[in-house]
Amino acid sequence: MQPILSLENIFFSYHNLKGETPALSNITFDIAEGEFLAIVGPSGCGKSTLLSIIAGLLKPEGGTITFNTSSSIGYMLQHDHLFEWRTIYQNAILGLELNKNMTKENTDYVLQLLNDYGLYAFKDKKPSELSGGMRQRAALIRTMAIKPDLLLLDEPFSALDFQTRMMVSADIGNIIRSTGKTAILITHDLSEAITLADRVLVLSGRPSSVKCELPIHFCIDRTSPLAIRNTTEYQTYFNLLWKELSDDFSEK
Ligand code: ADP
Ligand code: MG
């Protein structure tokens, strides 16, 4: 299948008064349509920088990015960035408003998503009246409302406590899978990467390059994060990834 997105030999450095900080070095990978890709790597290695480059917010210094699609992109960040002065519904339609795309079809779709993700009864509430997990779902609805071809998720669950995180990440993983969306998830949580992704890319320390990639397959379906964590495949993947990441620490 033709990839929806290809990155070839991407280089990027930050420049400021103190000098140069090389962040990405020779990054090459593809993502296929409908694929769920997780990217893990040590803190500060350049993961968010990489997503900003894919989103077109930063320009690479070297290399090429090719989109084989009309490529509307949905971006979801660590903090939900819901606006407290807007209701959940008003937050959810923000992207449509900004893109001047408030058709009946699109607002109906938002109402449908609110219903599907169990937030319909909360649509007129303010963000502070919702739990962390519900807020994160509301942020996902806002991201999905513009019907993106590609979802970019930058550690979207890291502000949640452990139990909520496990439930919400499984929840959101199922939603993304069932809609067949192409997604790139940045995470420093190996369990999250293994339970959610079709493939995991491991980045090296800064300036980061792709250290290895690991396709993930399970014999059981992915709806239960706990069942997945109890499989022997899960343990094998975890050990492999752990080793890749700790090699990088010991090299320093
Ligand atoms: P990660 O998301 O993997 O934690 P980032 O992509 O945020 O890492 O950052 C990669 C490196 O680039 C870090 O060392 C960080 O300090 C540096 N960096 C990030 N943003 C800037 C910036 N605007 N100016 C200078 N350096 C930056
Ligand atoms: Mg980051």
Side-chain angles (χ1 to χ4, degrees):
M1 207 185 348
Q2 197 190 26
I4 193 169
L5 167 68
S6 302
L7 281 81
E8 262 176 276
N9 312 113
I10 299 295
F11 285 84
F12 184 85
S13 305
Y14 289 101
H15 299 271
N16 56 27
L17 292 176
K18 290 196 195 122
E20 189 187 31
T21 309
L24 306 175
S25 169
N26 210 14
I27 302 257
T28 298
F29 67 88
D30 286 345
I31 178 163
E33 187 164 5
E35 192 179 17
F36 198 134
L37 179 72
I39 300 181
V40 299
S43 160
C45 78
K47 301 182 293 299
S48 297
T49 304
L50 181 59
L51 272 205
S52 298
I53 284 180
I54 295 172
L57 302 172
L58 292 173
K59 238 179 107 59
E61 288 179 320
T64 48
I65 300 186
T66 315
F67 283 98
N68 297 311
T69 163
S70 61
S71 83
S72 62
I73 291 175
Y75 209 155
M76 189 166 152
L77 303 167
Q78 180 170 357
H79 297 287
D80 55 45
H81 294 290
L82 297 174
F83 295 112
E84 186 54 31
W85 65 90
R86 290 184 148 232
T87 64
I88 293 304
Y89 174 75
Q90 288 167 340
N91 269 288
I93 59 170
L94 189 66
L96 297 177
E97 265 182 36
L98 294 174
N99 290 315
K100 304 208 170 19
N101 219 347
M102 288 278 288
T103 61
K104 168 124 179 28
E105 188 195 341
N106 287 337
T107 52
D108 281 352
Y109 179 59
V110 168
L111 292 173
Q112 177 68 43
L113 291 172
L114 285 163
N115 190 52
D116 292 349
Y117 304 177
L119 288 182
Y120 192 85
F122 297 87
K123 70 180 172 52
D124 300 319
K125 300 255 189 270
K126 292 291 168 62
S128 59
E129 298 175 84
L130 272 63
S131 69
M134 289 166 112
R135 293 172 59 117
Q136 215 52 18
R137 258 184 281 153
L140 180 70
I141 293 173
R142 184 179 57 195
T143 310
M144 298 288 249
I146 58 162
K147 302 194 175 141
D149 298 317
L150 177 63
L151 279 171
L152 303 178
L153 310 164
D154 194 355
E155 310 211 20
F157 313 121
S158 45
L160 304 173
D161 64 78
F162 178 74
Q163 247 164 348
T164 313
R165 178 185 181 123
M166 204 159 128
M167 299 313 291
V168 173
S169 65
D171 214 28
I172 286 182
N174 289 335
I175 291 167
I176 292 171
R177 237 164 234 291
S178 66
T179 50
K181 291 277 180 217
T182 312
I184 301 180
L185 169 74
I186 302 283
T187 176
H188 57 250
D189 183 332
L190 293 184
S191 312
E192 201 166 274
I194 299 165
T195 49
L196 294 175
D198 298 313
R199 184 161 52 110
V200 180
L201 285 189
V202 180
L203 298 183
S204 67
R206 196 178 60 75
S208 63
S209 54
V210 178
K211 203 168 178 207
C212 75
E213 58 173 89
L214 185 64
I216 309 282
H217 296 287
F218 288 103
C219 296
I220 57 170
D221 82 61
R222 307 244 193 162
T223 39
S224 160
L226 211 58
I228 288 286
R229 281 169 165 79
N230 283 326
T231 60
T232 49
E233 295 116 294
Y234 171 87
Q235 209 53 56
T236 308
Y237 290 138
F238 192 95
N239 292 338
L240 278 167
L241 290 171
W242 181 262
K243 186 168 180 319
E244 286 297 336
L245 281 172
S246 26
D247 279 356
D248 219 55
F249 271 105
S250 50
E251 279 164 16
K252 290 248 160 89

